[in-house]
Amino acid sequence: MRPARLNSLFTPVRTLKGVGPRIEGLLDKLLAPKVPGPKGVSGHARLIDLLWHVPVGLVDRMHAPSIAESPLGQIVTLTVRVAEHRPGGPRKGRRAPYRILVEDETSTIDLVYFKADQRYLERLLPLDESRVISGRLESYDGRLQMTHPDHVAPVEGGAGIPEIEPVYPLTAGLSNTSLRKAIDGALKALPDLPEWTDAAFVAKNEWSSFSDSVKDLHTPRSEDDFLPTNPARERLAYDELLANQLALAVLRQSLKRRAGRSIAAPGRLRKAIVDALPFALTGAQARSLREIDADMADPLHMLRLLQGDVGSGKTIVALLAMATAVEAGHQAALMAPTELLARQHYETISRFAAPASLRVRLLTGRERGKERLAILEALKAHEIDILIGTHALFQEAIAFQDLGLTVIDEQHRFGVHQRLALQAKGLGAGAELLVMTATPIPRTLLLTSYGDLDVSRLDEKPPGRKPVLTRTVSLERLDEVVDGIDRAVEGGAQVYWVCPLVGESEVLDLAAAEERYAHLRERLGGQVGLVHGQLTGKEKDTVMAQFAAGDLAVLVSTTVIEVGVDVPNASVMVIEHAERFGLAQLHQLRGRVGRGAAQSSCLLLYKQPLGELARERLNVMRSTEDGFVIAEEDLRLRGGGEVLGTRQSGLPAFRIAQLPDHQDLLAAARDEARLCLSRMPRLEGEHGERLRLLLYLFERDDAVKLMRAG
C-alpha cells in the first residue's frame, strides 16, 4: 500500500478546482501514463504527472510601455481603460470576432476574441474600468490589436499578472494559462516530506528540500534555471536516480538470494569444441569465460551481462558456458528476440557443438504438430542438451527435465521488468542467467538499466579481421554507386543494400525497399533478392539461404538484417539515407560485413543538406569502428532516452534526470543505494521508511513488493 501522505499526489487531475471534463480530457491526452494493454491505452493524468511536467521556457511580462510606445510582434503588459464592447454579428455565414476597444492616454487598441461568451467578457472587462492586460501586440487592417490576451487582471488587488511566466509543452486546445492553474493546484497539494538523502550530501550541494525544489522547478526566473546544473533540477534528478538505483539494488538482492546451484565441470566438452575451432579465443573471450565460470560455480544465483561489440564472438562464449552446464548434468536454453536470429544461432551453435556431440534443437512458432510434440517430449526426457528458440518459447508450459543455464540474447530490447518476470517463471529451479547484447551500452546506461547484473565485456575483435572502409557519399551520386556495385558483383562480391528508415511505418519502409529492389533488378538482373519484415519466416529464410549460398549477389533489405545475420562472403554494405538512422543502428548494420577474408567497405548514402546532428553521426562512423566509443557518442548526441537506435522499452524513461548530464549524480546515487541496503537490507527503521517513500514517489513500487515477498 502506498503511504497515505502521498495519496493526494496520485489522485486524478479532475479533483482540482477549475478542471472540468474538457480540461481533464486535454490533460489526460498530454500527461496520462500509458497503461499496459494491446494498444498502450492511456490512463488518467494525476497530480504527480503535473508536477513532473516541467517548463521549457519563460515569458518576460515586465515590459510595460504605453500603447503608443509598444513594439509590434512582442509581448507587452499594458494598463488600459475599457472604452467600448463591440459584439461580433453574423458575417458571411460565420460569426465575426468580438472586439473590445481599450485605451490609455496615448492611443487605443482592440482586444479580439473568437467564439466569445459576451456575459463572461462583460464581467472580465467592465465598461469604464481600468485593467492590466498582457499579450502579443499585432496590427490588422491598420489597427493595433491583441488577440485573446494571455492575462487580464484588476489594476489593484487580485492575483495580478506574473512578471516572469513559465512556458510548458502543450497539446491542441490547452492554453499555457489553464495548464499553469492546474499545476499551481498540484503544487498546493504537495505534502511536506521527510529528508531521505544523506544530510551532509544535501548541504554540500546547497540543495533545498524535495518540496521546495519542486516549487522552484515551476518558478524559473532566468534561462539559467533550465540548465541541468540548476540546484532544483539537480536535487530532483538525484532523487529520481536514487529511486532507480535503489529499485535495481533491491531486485539484484532479491534474485541473488534465490536458491542458485554450483555448476562446474572438468571441461571435456569445452575442450572438444575449442580444439575444433578454426580460430583461437581472444583474451576478452577467455577473461569473460573465467568470470562466467566463477559465477556458475558459486552457489549464489548468476546474473551476468555479456556485452560484446559487433563480431566479437559472443555466441562462442555462450556455447562454451552452456557446454559446462551440460557436462555438469544439466540442460541449457538460448532465447533470441526474432525467429531469424534464433535460426542463425541454431545453425552456428549446431556447427560448433558437433565435435562435443551436444544435442541441439530449435523450437520456434514454426515447429508444429507432431514435430513440436516430439521436441517437447525429448526435452522432458533430457534427450536435448541445448534448446534454442524465441522468447515466446518460455511463455508456454515447456518443461525441461533439469534447466541449469538460460542465455538471453539481445536483452536491450527487454527491460528490468521483463527480466524479473522471466526469473519469476522459474525456468528450472535456480537456473543461472546469462544475458547477451551486441549493442555496446554506455556506462551510464549500464547503471540505470542493468544495475542488477554483473558485466563482462568483449572488447577485442577475433584476429585477422580487417577494418571496414567507411565512406560517406551524397545520394546525388547514386548512379555512380550502382555502377560500382555492378563492378563489385562482377568481381565476385556480395552486397547488402539497406533501405531508408522512413519512419515508424512499416508500409513506407517496405515501399522504399521495393522501389530500390526494382531499380537494382533492372540494372543487375535476377541476382538481386529482397527481404523485409512483412515476409513470412519461411519466405525470409528462403531468400537468406539463397544469399548465404551465393545464389544472390545483392540483398535489398529493411533493417530486419540489423542483428545476427552472418554471411562471411558479403563484403559491401550500402546504407541508403544513412542520416535517418541512429549511430548504434548504423554500427550494427556495418557489422554485417568484414566477417571474411576480403577487404570490406560500407557506403553511407546521405541526402543534402545534412543537419548538424546527422553530420556529426556520419563523421563518428567514418572515424571509428569501436562500438563502445560509438555508444558513448550516441549517448552524447541523442541523450539517454533515445540511445540504442529508436527508443527501447527496456530503458528507464526519466522525467527529470538527464543523461549524460547527470552521470556524476548517477554514480553518487548508486553508492548511496548500495550503502543503504548494506545497512538496512529490508529498508527497515525510520530511514528505511523514508527511502520507501522515495520509491513510491517515483513509482518504483515493485522494489517494495519484492522486499515484502522476502
Side-chain angles (χ1 to χ4, degrees), residues 411-439:
Q411 172 63 36
H412 74 261
R413 301 179 183 207
F414 304 88
V416 171
H417 293 291
Q418 287 92 332
R419 203 150 63 232
L420 184 56
L422 184 70
Q423 292 277 328
K425 283 185 189 296
L427 308 182
E432 305 296 284
L433 179 66
L434 178 66
V435 164
M436 304 196 298
T437 178
T439 306

PDB file of all heavy atoms in Angstrom, residues 411-439:
ATOM      1  N   GLN A 411      19.275  -8.582 -25.042  1.00  0.00           N
ATOM      2  CA  GLN A 411      18.449  -8.240 -23.885  1.00  0.00           C
ATOM      3  C   GLN A 411      18.052  -6.768 -23.872  1.00  0.00           C
ATOM      4  O   GLN A 411      17.107  -6.386 -23.210  1.00  0.00           O
ATOM      5  CB  GLN A 411      19.226  -8.605 -22.611  1.00  0.00           C
ATOM      6  CG  GLN A 411      18.582  -8.149 -21.312  1.00  0.00           C
ATOM      7  CD  GLN A 411      17.231  -8.790 -21.072  1.00  0.00           C
ATOM      8  OE1 GLN A 411      17.037  -9.931 -21.414  1.00  0.00           O
ATOM      9  NE2 GLN A 411      16.311  -8.067 -20.495  1.00  0.00           N
ATOM     10  N   HIS A 412      18.771  -5.884 -24.618  1.00  0.00           N
ATOM     11  CA  HIS A 412      18.420  -4.458 -24.545  1.00  0.00           C
ATOM     12  C   HIS A 412      17.014  -4.198 -25.064  1.00  0.00           C
ATOM     13  O   HIS A 412      16.449  -3.145 -24.823  1.00  0.00           O
ATOM     14  CB  HIS A 412      19.437  -3.600 -25.319  1.00  0.00           C
ATOM     15  CG  HIS A 412      19.317  -3.674 -26.804  1.00  0.00           C
ATOM     16  ND1 HIS A 412      20.126  -4.481 -27.565  1.00  0.00           N
ATOM     17  CD2 HIS A 412      18.502  -3.042 -27.682  1.00  0.00           C
ATOM     18  CE1 HIS A 412      19.801  -4.341 -28.846  1.00  0.00           C
ATOM     19  NE2 HIS A 412      18.826  -3.475 -28.941  1.00  0.00           N
ATOM     20  N   ARG A 413      16.420  -5.172 -25.742  1.00  0.00           N
ATOM     21  CA  ARG A 413      15.040  -4.983 -26.212  1.00  0.00           C
ATOM     22  C   ARG A 413      14.024  -5.282 -25.112  1.00  0.00           C
ATOM     23  O   ARG A 413      12.834  -5.140 -25.316  1.00  0.00           O
ATOM     24  CB  ARG A 413      14.765  -5.899 -27.414  1.00  0.00           C
ATOM     25  CG  ARG A 413      15.724  -5.605 -28.564  1.00  0.00           C
ATOM     26  CD  ARG A 413      15.474  -6.506 -29.742  1.00  0.00           C
ATOM     27  NE  ARG A 413      16.477  -6.200 -30.773  1.00  0.00           N
ATOM     28  CZ  ARG A 413      16.296  -6.390 -32.057  1.00  0.00           C
ATOM     29  NH1 ARG A 413      15.163  -6.868 -32.489  1.00  0.00           N
ATOM     30  NH2 ARG A 413      17.233  -6.100 -32.921  1.00  0.00           N
ATOM     31  N   PHE A 414      14.517  -5.747 -23.993  1.00  0.00           N
ATOM     32  CA  PHE A 414      13.621  -6.113 -22.894  1.00  0.00           C
ATOM     33  C   PHE A 414      14.162  -5.495 -21.622  1.00  0.00           C
ATOM     34  O   PHE A 414      15.358  -5.466 -21.396  1.00  0.00           O
ATOM     35  CB  PHE A 414      13.545  -7.645 -22.756  1.00  0.00           C
ATOM     36  CG  PHE A 414      13.116  -8.299 -24.027  1.00  0.00           C
ATOM     37  CD1 PHE A 414      14.050  -8.647 -24.985  1.00  0.00           C
ATOM     38  CD2 PHE A 414      11.778  -8.500 -24.297  1.00  0.00           C
ATOM     39  CE1 PHE A 414      13.660  -9.208 -26.188  1.00  0.00           C
ATOM     40  CE2 PHE A 414      11.383  -9.064 -25.508  1.00  0.00           C
ATOM     41  CZ  PHE A 414      12.318  -9.415 -26.442  1.00  0.00           C
ATOM     42  N   GLY A 415      13.267  -4.990 -20.777  1.00  0.00           N
ATOM     43  CA  GLY A 415      13.716  -4.239 -19.612  1.00  0.00           C
ATOM     44  C   GLY A 415      13.817  -5.069 -18.352  1.00  0.00           C
ATOM     45  O   GLY A 415      13.634  -6.286 -18.347  1.00  0.00           O
ATOM     46  N   VAL A 416      14.113  -4.370 -17.286  1.00  0.00           N
ATOM     47  CA  VAL A 416      14.254  -4.995 -15.974  1.00  0.00           C
ATOM     48  C   VAL A 416      12.986  -5.768 -15.609  1.00  0.00           C
ATOM     49  O   VAL A 416      13.047  -6.868 -15.072  1.00  0.00           O
ATOM     50  CB  VAL A 416      14.551  -3.917 -14.907  1.00  0.00           C
ATOM     51  CG1 VAL A 416      14.484  -4.512 -13.512  1.00  0.00           C
ATOM     52  CG2 VAL A 416      15.918  -3.308 -15.161  1.00  0.00           C
ATOM     53  N   HIS A 417      11.820  -5.192 -15.937  1.00  0.00           N
ATOM     54  CA  HIS A 417      10.554  -5.844 -15.554  1.00  0.00           C
ATOM     55  C   HIS A 417      10.378  -7.179 -16.282  1.00  0.00           C
ATOM     56  O   HIS A 417       9.941  -8.158 -15.698  1.00  0.00           O
ATOM     57  CB  HIS A 417       9.363  -4.924 -15.852  1.00  0.00           C
ATOM     58  CG  HIS A 417       9.370  -3.707 -14.986  1.00  0.00           C
ATOM     59  ND1 HIS A 417       9.125  -3.767 -13.637  1.00  0.00           N
ATOM     60  CD2 HIS A 417       9.630  -2.407 -15.268  1.00  0.00           C
ATOM     61  CE1 HIS A 417       9.224  -2.549 -13.124  1.00  0.00           C
ATOM     62  NE2 HIS A 417       9.526  -1.716 -14.097  1.00  0.00           N
ATOM     63  N   GLN A 418      10.753  -7.206 -17.588  1.00  0.00           N
ATOM     64  CA  GLN A 418      10.649  -8.470 -18.327  1.00  0.00           C
ATOM     65  C   GLN A 418      11.632  -9.492 -17.753  1.00  0.00           C
ATOM     66  O   GLN A 418      11.344 -10.674 -17.677  1.00  0.00           O
ATOM     67  CB  GLN A 418      10.944  -8.254 -19.819  1.00  0.00           C
ATOM     68  CG  GLN A 418       9.832  -7.531 -20.540  1.00  0.00           C
ATOM     69  CD  GLN A 418      10.048  -6.041 -20.561  1.00  0.00           C
ATOM     70  OE1 GLN A 418      10.678  -5.485 -19.671  1.00  0.00           O
ATOM     71  NE2 GLN A 418       9.510  -5.372 -21.567  1.00  0.00           N
ATOM     72  N   ARG A 419      12.827  -8.987 -17.371  1.00  0.00           N
ATOM     73  CA  ARG A 419      13.834  -9.881 -16.808  1.00  0.00           C
ATOM     74  C   ARG A 419      13.305 -10.488 -15.503  1.00  0.00           C
ATOM     75  O   ARG A 419      13.479 -11.664 -15.224  1.00  0.00           O
ATOM     76  CB  ARG A 419      15.098  -9.063 -16.560  1.00  0.00           C
ATOM     77  CG  ARG A 419      16.351  -9.885 -16.516  1.00  0.00           C
ATOM     78  CD  ARG A 419      17.550  -9.095 -17.003  1.00  0.00           C
ATOM     79  NE  ARG A 419      17.879  -7.945 -16.197  1.00  0.00           N
ATOM     80  CZ  ARG A 419      18.044  -6.719 -16.678  1.00  0.00           C
ATOM     81  NH1 ARG A 419      17.872  -6.490 -17.950  1.00  0.00           N
ATOM     82  NH2 ARG A 419      18.379  -5.731 -15.900  1.00  0.00           N
ATOM     83  N   LEU A 420      12.653  -9.640 -14.713  1.00  0.00           N
ATOM     84  CA  LEU A 420      12.084 -10.081 -13.434  1.00  0.00           C
ATOM     85  C   LEU A 420      10.993 -11.127 -13.676  1.00  0.00           C
ATOM     86  O   LEU A 420      10.932 -12.152 -12.997  1.00  0.00           O
ATOM     87  CB  LEU A 420      11.508  -8.867 -12.702  1.00  0.00           C
ATOM     88  CG  LEU A 420      10.953  -9.077 -11.303  1.00  0.00           C
ATOM     89  CD1 LEU A 420      12.003  -9.685 -10.401  1.00  0.00           C
ATOM     90  CD2 LEU A 420      10.479  -7.754 -10.740  1.00  0.00           C
ATOM     91  N   ALA A 421      10.136 -10.869 -14.684  1.00  0.00           N
ATOM     92  CA  ALA A 421       9.046 -11.803 -15.000  1.00  0.00           C
ATOM     93  C   ALA A 421       9.623 -13.152 -15.439  1.00  0.00           C
ATOM     94  O   ALA A 421       9.112 -14.215 -15.080  1.00  0.00           O
ATOM     95  CB  ALA A 421       8.172 -11.220 -16.105  1.00  0.00           C
ATOM     96  N   LEU A 422      10.706 -13.103 -16.189  1.00  0.00           N
ATOM     97  CA  LEU A 422      11.350 -14.317 -16.682  1.00  0.00           C
ATOM     98  C   LEU A 422      11.874 -15.144 -15.510  1.00  0.00           C
ATOM     99  O   LEU A 422      11.683 -16.352 -15.440  1.00  0.00           O
ATOM    100  CB  LEU A 422      12.503 -13.919 -17.601  1.00  0.00           C
ATOM    101  CG  LEU A 422      13.243 -15.046 -18.295  1.00  0.00           C
ATOM    102  CD1 LEU A 422      12.354 -15.663 -19.346  1.00  0.00           C
ATOM    103  CD2 LEU A 422      14.500 -14.493 -18.940  1.00  0.00           C
ATOM    104  N   GLN A 423      12.522 -14.449 -14.560  1.00  0.00           N
ATOM    105  CA  GLN A 423      13.031 -15.147 -13.376  1.00  0.00           C
ATOM    106  C   GLN A 423      11.866 -15.749 -12.589  1.00  0.00           C
ATOM    107  O   GLN A 423      11.952 -16.851 -12.075  1.00  0.00           O
ATOM    108  CB  GLN A 423      13.789 -14.158 -12.478  1.00  0.00           C
ATOM    109  CG  GLN A 423      15.078 -13.660 -13.089  1.00  0.00           C
ATOM    110  CD  GLN A 423      16.223 -14.631 -12.863  1.00  0.00           C
ATOM    111  OE1 GLN A 423      16.255 -15.310 -11.862  1.00  0.00           O
ATOM    112  NE2 GLN A 423      17.142 -14.698 -13.808  1.00  0.00           N
ATOM    113  N   ALA A 424      10.768 -14.986 -12.486  1.00  0.00           N
ATOM    114  CA  ALA A 424       9.613 -15.436 -11.700  1.00  0.00           C
ATOM    115  C   ALA A 424       9.007 -16.705 -12.297  1.00  0.00           C
ATOM    116  O   ALA A 424       8.391 -17.493 -11.589  1.00  0.00           O
ATOM    117  CB  ALA A 424       8.572 -14.331 -11.624  1.00  0.00           C
ATOM    118  N   LYS A 425       9.134 -16.905 -13.623  1.00  0.00           N
ATOM    119  CA  LYS A 425       8.591 -18.105 -14.259  1.00  0.00           C
ATOM    120  C   LYS A 425       9.357 -19.345 -13.808  1.00  0.00           C
ATOM    121  O   LYS A 425       8.936 -20.457 -14.061  1.00  0.00           O
ATOM    122  CB  LYS A 425       8.643 -17.971 -15.786  1.00  0.00           C
ATOM    123  CG  LYS A 425       7.553 -17.085 -16.335  1.00  0.00           C
ATOM    124  CD  LYS A 425       7.585 -17.084 -17.853  1.00  0.00           C
ATOM    125  CE  LYS A 425       6.643 -16.046 -18.428  1.00  0.00           C
ATOM    126  NZ  LYS A 425       5.241 -16.296 -18.138  1.00  0.00           N
ATOM    127  N   GLY A 426      10.544 -19.097 -13.175  1.00  0.00           N
ATOM    128  CA  GLY A 426      11.305 -20.219 -12.620  1.00  0.00           C
ATOM    129  C   GLY A 426      11.653 -21.229 -13.679  1.00  0.00           C
ATOM    130  O   GLY A 426      11.227 -22.370 -13.637  1.00  0.00           O
ATOM    131  N   LEU A 427      12.441 -20.807 -14.656  1.00  0.00           N
ATOM    132  CA  LEU A 427      12.813 -21.720 -15.738  1.00  0.00           C
ATOM    133  C   LEU A 427      13.790 -22.757 -15.180  1.00  0.00           C
ATOM    134  O   LEU A 427      14.995 -22.660 -15.343  1.00  0.00           O
ATOM    135  CB  LEU A 427      13.468 -20.938 -16.878  1.00  0.00           C
ATOM    136  CG  LEU A 427      12.656 -19.746 -17.372  1.00  0.00           C
ATOM    137  CD1 LEU A 427      13.362 -19.069 -18.513  1.00  0.00           C
ATOM    138  CD2 LEU A 427      11.295 -20.228 -17.839  1.00  0.00           C
ATOM    139  N   GLY A 428      13.248 -23.703 -14.467  1.00  0.00           N
ATOM    140  CA  GLY A 428      14.088 -24.654 -13.773  1.00  0.00           C
ATOM    141  C   GLY A 428      14.467 -24.006 -12.448  1.00  0.00           C
ATOM    142  O   GLY A 428      14.819 -22.849 -12.398  1.00  0.00           O
ATOM    143  N   ALA A 429      14.388 -24.766 -11.360  1.00  0.00           N
ATOM    144  CA  ALA A 429      14.664 -24.171 -10.045  1.00  0.00           C
ATOM    145  C   ALA A 429      16.083 -23.647 -10.032  1.00  0.00           C
ATOM    146  O   ALA A 429      17.038 -24.381 -10.216  1.00  0.00           O
ATOM    147  CB  ALA A 429      14.472 -25.221  -8.969  1.00  0.00           C
ATOM    148  N   GLY A 430      16.211 -22.346  -9.830  1.00  0.00           N
ATOM    149  CA  GLY A 430      17.527 -21.743  -9.676  1.00  0.00           C
ATOM    150  C   GLY A 430      18.378 -21.763 -10.926  1.00  0.00           C
ATOM    151  O   GLY A 430      19.603 -21.840 -10.845  1.00  0.00           O
ATOM    152  N   ALA A 431      17.783 -21.707 -12.120  1.00  0.00           N
ATOM    153  CA  ALA A 431      18.587 -21.663 -13.350  1.00  0.00           C
ATOM    154  C   ALA A 431      19.460 -20.418 -13.348  1.00  0.00           C
ATOM    155  O   ALA A 431      19.018 -19.339 -12.983  1.00  0.00           O
ATOM    156  CB  ALA A 431      17.679 -21.671 -14.577  1.00  0.00           C
ATOM    157  N   GLU A 432      20.723 -20.591 -13.767  1.00  0.00           N
ATOM    158  CA  GLU A 432      21.638 -19.447 -13.863  1.00  0.00           C
ATOM    159  C   GLU A 432      21.216 -18.598 -15.066  1.00  0.00           C
ATOM    160  O   GLU A 432      20.640 -19.116 -16.027  1.00  0.00           O
ATOM    161  CB  GLU A 432      23.075 -19.928 -14.037  1.00  0.00           C
ATOM    162  CG  GLU A 432      23.538 -20.893 -12.958  1.00  0.00           C
ATOM    163  CD  GLU A 432      23.572 -20.245 -11.582  1.00  0.00           C
ATOM    164  OE1 GLU A 432      24.486 -19.471 -11.304  1.00  0.00           O
ATOM    165  OE2 GLU A 432      22.658 -20.523 -10.784  1.00  0.00           O
ATOM    166  N   LEU A 433      21.526 -17.297 -15.018  1.00  0.00           N
ATOM    167  CA  LEU A 433      21.087 -16.400 -16.103  1.00  0.00           C
ATOM    168  C   LEU A 433      22.269 -15.658 -16.707  1.00  0.00           C
ATOM    169  O   LEU A 433      23.015 -14.969 -16.010  1.00  0.00           O
ATOM    170  CB  LEU A 433      20.074 -15.386 -15.558  1.00  0.00           C
ATOM    171  CG  LEU A 433      19.553 -14.366 -16.581  1.00  0.00           C
ATOM    172  CD1 LEU A 433      18.726 -15.056 -17.656  1.00  0.00           C
ATOM    173  CD2 LEU A 433      18.699 -13.300 -15.893  1.00  0.00           C
ATOM    174  N   LEU A 434      22.452 -15.826 -18.022  1.00  0.00           N
ATOM    175  CA  LEU A 434      23.458 -15.068 -18.778  1.00  0.00           C
ATOM    176  C   LEU A 434      22.724 -14.280 -19.855  1.00  0.00           C
ATOM    177  O   LEU A 434      21.978 -14.851 -20.650  1.00  0.00           O
ATOM    178  CB  LEU A 434      24.482 -16.015 -19.425  1.00  0.00           C
ATOM    179  CG  LEU A 434      25.558 -15.334 -20.285  1.00  0.00           C
ATOM    180  CD1 LEU A 434      26.466 -14.453 -19.429  1.00  0.00           C
ATOM    181  CD2 LEU A 434      26.394 -16.377 -21.025  1.00  0.00           C
ATOM    182  N   VAL A 435      22.906 -12.971 -19.838  1.00  0.00           N
ATOM    183  CA  VAL A 435      22.234 -12.079 -20.774  1.00  0.00           C
ATOM    184  C   VAL A 435      23.286 -11.573 -21.759  1.00  0.00           C
ATOM    185  O   VAL A 435      24.402 -11.254 -21.347  1.00  0.00           O
ATOM    186  CB  VAL A 435      21.619 -10.908 -19.966  1.00  0.00           C
ATOM    187  CG1 VAL A 435      21.251  -9.758 -20.849  1.00  0.00           C
ATOM    188  CG2 VAL A 435      20.410 -11.379 -19.192  1.00  0.00           C
ATOM    189  N   MET A 436      22.961 -11.522 -23.060  1.00  0.00           N
ATOM    190  CA  MET A 436      23.942 -11.045 -24.050  1.00  0.00           C
ATOM    191  C   MET A 436      23.375  -9.859 -24.831  1.00  0.00           C
ATOM    192  O   MET A 436      22.173  -9.804 -25.089  1.00  0.00           O
ATOM    193  CB  MET A 436      24.271 -12.140 -25.073  1.00  0.00           C
ATOM    194  CG  MET A 436      24.761 -13.440 -24.499  1.00  0.00           C
ATOM    195  SD  MET A 436      25.552 -14.470 -25.756  1.00  0.00           S
ATOM    196  CE  MET A 436      24.231 -14.778 -26.918  1.00  0.00           C
ATOM    197  N   THR A 437      24.248  -8.956 -25.226  1.00  0.00           N
ATOM    198  CA  THR A 437      23.831  -7.922 -26.179  1.00  0.00           C
ATOM    199  C   THR A 437      24.994  -7.581 -27.098  1.00  0.00           C
ATOM    200  O   THR A 437      26.144  -7.504 -26.660  1.00  0.00           O
ATOM    201  CB  THR A 437      23.311  -6.647 -25.492  1.00  0.00           C
ATOM    202  OG1 THR A 437      22.988  -5.685 -26.500  1.00  0.00           O
ATOM    203  CG2 THR A 437      24.332  -6.031 -24.551  1.00  0.00           C
ATOM    204  N   ALA A 438      24.670  -7.409 -28.387  1.00  0.00           N
ATOM    205  CA  ALA A 438      25.677  -6.984 -29.369  1.00  0.00           C
ATOM    206  C   ALA A 438      25.690  -5.473 -29.480  1.00  0.00           C
ATOM    207  O   ALA A 438      26.423  -4.913 -30.279  1.00  0.00           O
ATOM    208  CB  ALA A 438      25.365  -7.606 -30.733  1.00  0.00           C
ATOM    209  N   THR A 439      24.842  -4.812 -28.696  1.00  0.00           N
ATOM    210  CA  THR A 439      24.803  -3.351 -28.721  1.00  0.00           C
ATOM    211  C   THR A 439      25.635  -2.833 -27.559  1.00  0.00           C
ATOM    212  O   THR A 439      25.215  -2.973 -26.415  1.00  0.00           O
ATOM    213  CB  THR A 439      23.359  -2.834 -28.581  1.00  0.00           C
ATOM    214  OG1 THR A 439      22.561  -3.456 -29.579  1.00  0.00           O
ATOM    215  CG2 THR A 439      23.293  -1.341 -28.723  1.00  0.00           C
TER     216      THR A 439
END
